[in-house]
Amino acid sequence: MTVVGNSQYEIRSVLFPTKVFDVTGESKKVYEHLIVYDSHGKLNQRWLIHQLPNSLFCKIESAYSKMVMEVEGGVDQDGVGVVQNIDYNNLSQMWAL
């Protein structure tokens, strides 16, 4: 992760350091997929990390849409995508960093 200001981060690939998590098409739609894209500095590539109280887990919120990262459909399946969604405080929206 790279701090880019105002407690916002770019979540960057180690293998491809110019690539970061990106909300597709600067969308504010529920269930919009996240992709890996060249860093361009816009808010749809910036993330806020919220540590959960009394927990090792966090939520990752889009600085652009104010939605959080979620395992698509909340399913335990290889190849499932990551989407943005309204914060429902469920386990599919919690991450360990």
Side-chain angles (χ1 to χ4, degrees):
M1 289 187 293
T2 304
V3 178
V4 291
N6 297 327
S7 300
Q8 298 174 359
Y9 297 86
E10 283 186 335
I11 302 175
R12 189 173 295 279
S13 168
V14 172
L15 182 58
F16 304 106
T18 63
K19 304 291 186 187
V20 299
F21 268 117
D22 177 293
V23 178
T24 305
E26 297 181 60
S27 175
K28 290 188 176 183
K29 294 189 319 192
V30 171
Y31 301 123
E32 189 65 63
H33 284 94
L34 306 182
I35 59 173
V36 176
Y37 200 86
D38 277 326
S39 175
H40 51 61
K42 293 183 180 177
L43 283 179
N44 67 313
Q45 295 183 337
R46 294 186 177 193
W47 306 93
L48 302 161
I49 309 298
H50 301 290
Q51 186 68 41
L52 298 173
N54 303 313
S55 174
L56 298 175
F57 306 126
C58 69
K59 292 185 182 179
I60 305 173
E61 175 189 346
S62 168
Y64 181 71
S65 69
K66 307 302 182 203
M67 288 186 249
V68 297
M69 283 189 186
E70 176 180 283
V71 175
E72 187 173 17
V75 297
D76 179 13
Q77 180 179 335
D78 290 339
V80 71
V82 177
V83 296
Q84 67 179 2
N85 196 2
I86 297 164
D87 186 355
Y88 291 114
N89 202 36
N90 61 40
L91 290 175
S92 64
Q93 299 176 331
M94 297 178 191
W95 303 89
L97 298 180

